[in-house]
Amino acid sequence: MLFSRLLSSTPRHLLNIGLAFFLLLLILLFVNSFHSKDLRESLIQPLHLVSNLPSQKPTQLQSQPTPDRRCNAIPSSPDVAVIIKTGANLIYEKLPIQLLTGLQCANDPLIFSDLAQTLGPYRVYDVLEDVSEDIKQSSDFDYYRQLQEFQRFGQDLRLLHDRAPAWKLDRYKFIHMLKKSWNLRPGHDWYIFLEGDTYILWANAMLWLQQFDPQTPYYFGQQSYYKNEPFAHGGSGIIISRGAMEKVLGDDPEFSPRYDKLAKEEVYGDYVLMKALQEKGVTLSPYKPILQGERLSTLRFGPGRHKDERYWCQPLVSLHHVTPSDVEALWQLEQQQQDLTRPILFSDVYNHFMAPQLPHDSEDREDWYNFSEDAVFKPPGEKPGRPIPESEMTPVQEQAYQSYEQCAAGCAEYHRCMQYSYEFLTQQCSYSFSYRLGERRPPTSDGTRYKSGWLMTKINRDIQENKCSSLEWKGFHSDM
């Protein structure tokens, strides 16, 4: 009765519309059930990409207008090719935010991984496909074969989260990345090689590279050391000029197989890359701190560990281990620059990111580790840390391990100490000669607990005494 009264009181045109929508819904449900099996099957099928043959001319993405003001801010910008090295188990975690922000200015970047894929409009190349077959038969490539199998059966690649086998495979990528970059993007002035979690400050990089002749064989990087030999740390970014690429990748058909064998014997692929460049007479030009292996929270400011180092008036070009929030924050900083032809300096990064986060009501913070590690004091009988010179040791320094308060007192007394941290379980007191922000470290179940402090009077005095009167486009050479 109620239902019939409701129908009689409802306008006829509304009833007709409702009936039409109901019939349309039934039709859609029928079509969906008919095709759902085919749809499910198609979703798990891997993409069939054309093999990356060196002789093929790659299809260039059409350059799209971008609102990113950095891209055309530097007159006569160098002609650069950007190459990103990543892994199939991490590509979705690290790369999308980079392509949406920091790498918007990169024209058709090359993406190399251990599996051929697509990422939106971007083609991802299998950089290991040309590794020597005898090397591929080794256990190092078990993970590579597992990746192919996961893709073949439509399994979630993120489940392969064990980093150890991926790291073992990574050292084979560098030589083939170099060769494929030259084949797929020949003739550029500069080749900028980045990791998926390396952020590059675009305008700074363009202003820097403008100062060099790309026809000269250059190999730039932040120096790391292995076997007492310097090589460019891959995570900080490696930059190679056209002149160096031409010199290294000349008529040498055994180039790749020879270095595949070396990669199998060594630990670090970026070290193997250095050996290949060195063989052809191209040596490293070290550019720490302009190229950086640190992320925002661990970046040094002010004095360095060595007395001839200072992190302040140099432009910052790259950072490593950046999180998605780091990437977003750095991109916003670049967008906010009024004059993009003025480089962003270490001092700017300090004022923008670190200074506002330092404690204002006190000079210390509970459950915080500020990466003080330049001098370490431990209880007697413990394995020695990294002490200050014995000639500078005072009774206060000798007792610095006993409590947080004594650690703080020792730092205040020591002329080079800018900040300190104390770990209560092991009674370890540590000093830093730079100022660094650090990160929150909640107490652990075994009793490990940190507390950190900054000597703001010293820090502010150091800043006042070191105004940037000129830019310092130079690198340090002392970091063994």
Side-chain angles (χ1 to χ4, degrees), residues 76-346:
S76 304
S77 287
D79 175 20
V80 302
V82 174
I83 301 97
I84 305 115
K85 179 175 69 66
T86 186
N89 63 330
L90 296 173
I91 192 169
Y92 303 113
E93 176 184 330
K94 298 180 177 181
L95 208 47
I97 184 65
Q98 292 269 35
L99 294 169
L100 287 169
T101 56
L103 293 177
Q104 281 193 81
C105 300
N107 182 27
D108 197 10
L110 275 174
I111 305 175
F112 289 128
S113 180
D114 34 31
L115 186 70
Q117 299 174 261
T118 55
L119 184 64
Y122 299 96
R123 177 174 178 175
V124 181
Y125 292 84
D126 176 2
V127 72
L128 299 173
E129 64 176 351
D130 297 327
V131 171
S132 306
E133 284 303 319
D134 59 327
I135 300 292
K136 276 188 177 180
Q137 299 307 312
S138 73
S139 59
D140 287 352
F141 280 77
D142 289 347
Y143 176 75
Y144 179 74
R145 287 182 281 273
Q146 190 177 20
L147 285 171
Q148 318 302 314
E149 185 176 342
F150 261 60
Q151 186 185 67
R152 190 178 308 116
F153 292 103
Q155 293 173 272
D156 188 350
L157 293 165
R158 293 173 302 172
L159 297 176
L160 297 174
H161 52 74
D162 187 352
R163 305 293 172 90
W167 170 253
K168 189 180 294 186
L169 194 62
D170 186 77
R171 65 181 186 263
Y172 295 97
K173 295 177 182 177
F174 286 82
I175 291 298
H176 292 276
M177 176 177 69
L178 189 76
K179 188 172 182 178
K180 281 180 172 291
S181 296
W182 187 243
N183 289 340
L184 294 170
R185 300 288 186 273
H188 289 278
D189 288 343
W190 298 97
Y191 292 79
I192 302 176
F193 297 91
L194 307 171
E195 302 280 343
D197 59 352
T198 305
Y199 188 89
I200 183 169
L201 286 81
W202 188 263
N204 277 15
M206 299 302 105
L207 290 167
W208 179 38
L209 295 177
Q210 273 185 338
Q211 303 174 41
F212 302 95
D213 176 6
Q215 193 55 44
T216 302
Y218 284 121
Y219 163 45
F220 297 154
Q222 178 193 283
Q223 63 271 34
S224 292
Y225 288 87
Y226 180 61
K227 299 181 179 179
N228 293 323
E229 294 182 275
F231 64 95
H233 173 237
S236 306
I238 299 171
I239 302 178
I240 302 177
S241 67
R242 180 177 73 248
M245 296 287 277
E246 289 173 341
K247 190 170 185 179
V248 172
L249 297 167
D251 186 17
D252 185 355
E254 298 302 315
F255 176 78
S256 297
R258 185 165 66 253
Y259 284 98
D260 282 343
K261 292 177 182 177
L262 182 61
K264 191 174 189 305
E265 299 167 3
E266 297 295 351
V267 178
Y268 305 112
D270 35 12
Y271 172 80
V272 174
L273 177 62
M274 178 276 291
K275 299 300 284 185
L277 294 167
Q278 187 183 66
E279 179 194 347
K280 300 301 176 70
V282 180
T283 57
L284 175 66
S285 297
Y287 272 94
K288 180 181 181 179
I290 291 173
L291 298 172
Q292 268 297 313
E294 303 290 342
R295 51 170 296 202
L296 279 173
S297 63
T298 64
L299 194 61
R300 288 179 179 269
F301 298 101
R305 176 179 294 164
H306 302 281
K307 292 184 179 181
D308 58 347
E309 294 181 358
R310 174 165 286 276
Y311 300 77
W312 199 245
C313 297
Q314 301 95 338
L316 179 64
V317 169
S318 70
L319 287 162
H320 189 213
H321 295 306
V322 289
T323 66
S325 60
D326 289 336
V327 171
E328 172 64 20
L330 287 162
W331 184 74
Q332 291 293 349
L333 171 64
E334 290 187 278
Q335 299 300 315
Q336 292 165 21
Q337 288 292 104
Q338 290 187 354
D339 180 6
L340 285 167
T341 63
R342 176 198 175 277
I344 296 172
L345 308 182
F346 272 77

